[in-house]
Amino acid sequence: MGADAVVLVVHAAALLAVLDRQIPPDGGAAEPPAGPGDVIARLLGHEARYWARSQARYQLALGPAVRERAVAAATLIGAGDEASALRLLSAIGDLADPAVRGSAARWLHDLYPAGEPGYAPGCEPGHAPGEWIGPLRPDLVAETLIVRVMTGQPDLLDHLVRGLGEQRATRALTILGRAALTSPAAAGLLDRAIRSDPEHLVIPAMTVAVETNRAVGDQVAGLLAAGHGSPDLLARIARELPDTSVSLAGIAALTYQRLADTAPDGEQRASRQISLSNWLSSMGRREDALAAIGQAVTAYRDLAAARPDAFLPGLATSLNNQSGCLSGLGRREEALASASEAVTICRDLAAARPDAFLPDLAASLNNQSVFLSELGRREEALASASEAVTICRDLAAARPDAFLPDLAMSLSNQAGRLADLGRREEALAAIDQAVTAYRDLAAARPDAFLPDLATSLSNQAGRLSDLGRREEALASASEAVTAYRDLAAARPDAFLPDLAMSLSNQSSCLADLGRREEALAAISQAVTICRDLAAARPDAFLPDLAASLNNQAGRLADLGRR
């Protein structure tokens, strides 16, 4: 149970104690609750007794199950007006009589007033404007009721969510997604709900995947893999995808694969293959990403040979992406060749149209810098990185919302190149600026920028350690490990290499502070991860395994295990 849920349970337990004194449950004095689940169940029991007492004012004689279904349905999807409430209640078979249904709608409206404090236990102010019925509160009580009711009445769930507008669909899926974090039953309901009407529910489900429950992204990806999704839906998914997202990577890769397969011409196919390659890379599917970008490079070469003004930008972009894919597979000379060709193209384009192509030149310079560094050409690497920083500073000064991520990435890269040359204070200054920028970006959009923040924190730890600031170095390294653990839990193929790297950094920082057993534990985890990675893909990961084994040897020696 997360910290927020613990706080809610504590408050719920306090509320339960007050209610038990004011309205003793049937059978006399209440026993202390047996645990969090019992607290929520007993609060729900108080709420149910309130429903039973209040319905008499409306000439209603609804049974307990019907009352539960009505409240659960109203809480799950809400109602903006009385007509919406009547449609909502028509899904409940026992409310077929229009007169009874009308009385039930007014009962719910008065039971849970929207936008103002209610008088029922647990009802809170602040419901969304425009609602005619407020939801049951607090959330844990509402989720418990909804899961219980919909598990017993799955057809009711299908009826409620099918054909919903996006706002209410997002509300319903968010409630189920939040409950699914701790309840397998809720996870099953969530999957059923999305499958009941994928054409209308995929876009709301993507919102839930980013904001509430990452696993929802995998559920939607499964539907797309099974062939669900019209061409119009796929096109809309592509339009609404962010530039990067841990939660939506599977959806994005499947969407762009299907769009590339059905592209009407070579230009559109190549453009979609670039996007496909980017998303495959973010998932750690390096060979597949290289294959996709290789097709794009070939297509753009042919197109640019015939019409250079139109297609050289596409060729430069595809070459930049190809260089990253080649580097990820340990093919460093080829990576540098692709990146350098992209730099040459982008220089010519930026000279003619700087407003349009300076960002592309900066990106290609950063790539070139990394691959020069990997081949030991350090001064050249720093020159490329510093040129990229200069370009991005000017761009971000004019349009920070658009170019702050580019500046942060360039600064992080420059810091590494400065450190390679022993210019430690300058390296720390650059990485500090990058971390600050990524913190702001990740605070606003964690799903997009948490990986970048984690990488910059690892780099910051190295630069602090270089200057003997050991406690600060350990704090940055440990924060990076925490972030990468979370990321690797969601996308192991993409983030296990980064987790191993961050554990190795953390181990070194712990060793510097004399915390030898902890240092050995951290590097041993890194070795285990690198062994598995190298067993599957030795060309890419044997160097990392070798480095982690070397570090592990040092930590064992520190403990006298010669």
Side-chain angles (χ1 to χ4, degrees):
M1 181 179 291
D4 291 343
V6 170
V7 171
L8 283 173
V9 169
V10 170
H11 284 284
L15 176 60
L16 178 64
V18 172
L19 291 172
D20 281 345
R21 285 196 299 272
Q22 292 178 347
I23 312 169
D26 298 337
E31 295 291 327
D38 191 33
V39 170
I40 301 304
R42 284 170 54 176
L43 264 185
L44 194 50
H46 275 285
E47 201 82 11
R49 287 190 286 277
Y50 181 78
W51 301 336
R53 294 194 303 273
S54 64
Q55 70 173 350
R57 292 198 300 273
Y58 302 86
Q59 288 77 51
L60 288 169
L62 307 178
V66 178
R67 294 194 297 266
E68 282 195 347
R69 289 174 205 156
V71 174
T75 299
L76 184 65
I77 67 170
D81 52 31
E82 186 171 6
S84 299
L86 292 171
R87 287 195 298 273
L88 166 84
L89 293 173
S90 68
I92 299 172
D94 301 77
L95 297 176
D97 186 325
V100 175
R101 194 160 60 246
S103 295
R106 289 189 294 277
W107 168 65
L108 285 170
H109 172 67
D110 292 341
L111 191 67
Y112 297 113
E116 60 185 57
Y119 49 80
C123 189
E124 297 176 354
H127 305 316
E131 289 295 311
W132 195 69
I133 300 173
L136 170 63
R137 299 285 188 172
D139 289 341
L140 284 174
V141 174
E143 291 159 17
T144 298
L145 174 67
I146 288 167
V147 172
R148 185 168 78 192
V149 168
M150 301 304 163
T151 299
Q153 295 278 312
D155 291 344
L156 174 59
L157 176 67
D158 295 345
H159 187 96
L160 291 171
V161 301
R162 192 175 292 121
L164 274 182
E166 283 188 19
Q167 180 181 358
R168 298 202 178 277
T170 302
R171 166 185 172 147
L173 297 183
T174 297
I175 292 171
L176 292 173
R178 195 168 54 229
L181 292 170
T182 55
S183 166
L189 290 171
L190 177 64
D191 185 59
R192 180 186 179 106
I194 297 170
R195 288 177 182 279
S196 71
D197 191 4
E199 199 69 20
H200 290 96
L201 296 180
V202 160
I203 299 296
M206 288 168 57
T207 301
V208 175
V210 172
E211 297 180 358
T212 307
N213 186 336
R214 284 181 182 167
V216 180
D218 294 331
Q219 289 176 296
V220 173
L223 289 175
L224 297 179
H228 291 281
S230 66
D232 286 345
L233 176 59
L234 294 173
R236 185 174 174 198
I237 292 172
R239 288 195 303 272
E240 299 199 9
L241 281 166
D243 292 336
T244 181
S245 169
V246 176
S247 307
L248 303 181
I251 296 172
L254 285 159
T255 296
Y256 279 109
Q257 181 65 72
R258 289 177 61 183
L259 289 172
D261 290 343
T262 58
D265 56 55
E267 178 188 358
Q268 289 193 45
R269 185 175 302 108
S271 174
R272 291 167 180 179
Q273 283 166 334
I274 290 176
S275 298
L276 171 61
S277 177
N278 288 339
W279 287 104
L280 289 169
S281 290
S282 77
M283 298 171 69
R285 294 171 57 183
R286 292 176 172 84
E287 290 85 356
D288 294 337
L290 180 59
I293 199 62
Q295 294 178 53
V297 168
T298 299
Y300 274 120
R301 279 201 194 283
D302 294 340
L303 291 165
R307 293 178 57 201
D309 290 347
F311 295 114
L312 274 176
L315 176 58
T317 299
S318 60
L319 284 164
N320 263 324
N321 292 7
Q322 185 183 52
S323 68
C325 292
L326 287 164
S327 177
L329 290 167
R331 295 163 61 176
R332 294 174 179 174
E333 289 82 1
E334 296 168 87
L336 178 58
S338 292
S340 297
E341 185 180 355
V343 168
T344 299
I345 295 170
C346 288
R347 276 201 195 283
D348 292 341
L349 292 169
R353 295 176 57 200
D355 289 347
F357 294 111
L358 275 174
D360 300 299
L361 175 57
S364 60
L365 285 164
N366 274 313
N367 277 355
Q368 184 185 53
S369 170
V370 171
F371 307 137
L372 285 165
S373 176
E374 289 178 350
L375 292 169
R377 296 163 61 176
R378 294 178 177 177
E379 287 81 2
E380 296 168 89
L382 177 59
S384 293
S386 297
E387 185 179 355
V389 167
T390 299
I391 293 169
C392 289
R393 278 200 196 282
D394 292 342
L395 293 169
R399 294 178 56 200
D401 290 347
F403 293 111
L404 185 59
D406 301 271
L407 176 58
M409 185 270 290
S410 299
L411 285 163
S412 185
N413 184 35
Q414 184 188 48
R417 306 296 74 78
L418 287 163
D420 290 341
L421 291 166
R423 295 165 62 175
R424 295 176 177 178
E425 289 81 1
E426 295 168 88
L428 179 60
I431 196 61
D432 284 349
Q433 292 177 59
V435 168
T436 298
Y438 278 131
R439 277 201 194 284
D440 292 342
L441 291 164
R445 292 179 58 201
D447 198 60
F449 291 109
L450 184 59
D452 299 303
L453 174 59
T455 299
S456 64
L457 284 164
S458 280
N459 292 343
Q460 184 184 52
R463 306 294 75 79
L464 287 163
S465 183
D466 290 342
L467 291 167
R469 294 165 61 174
R470 294 175 177 176
E471 289 82 0
E472 296 168 88
L474 177 59
S476 293
S478 298
E479 187 179 352
V481 168
T482 298
Y484 277 129
R485 281 199 195 283
D486 185 39
L487 292 164
R491 295 270 177 229
D493 288 346
F495 293 110
L496 275 176
D498 300 295
L499 175 58
M501 176 273 295
S502 65
L503 285 164
S504 184
N505 287 353
Q506 184 187 49
S507 174
S508 297
C509 294
L510 288 163
D512 288 342
L513 290 167
R515 295 164 63 174
R516 295 175 178 177
E517 289 81 1
E518 295 169 88
L520 177 60
I523 194 60
S524 296
Q525 289 181 56
V527 167
T528 298
I529 293 168
C530 288
R531 274 199 202 284
D532 292 340
L533 292 169
R537 295 172 51 207
D539 288 348
F541 294 113
L542 269 176
D544 299 309
L545 175 58
S548 62
L549 284 164
N550 192 56
N551 291 348
Q552 187 184 47
R555 303 294 78 78
L556 288 163
D558 291 341
L559 289 166
R561 294 168 60 178
R562 297 177 180 174

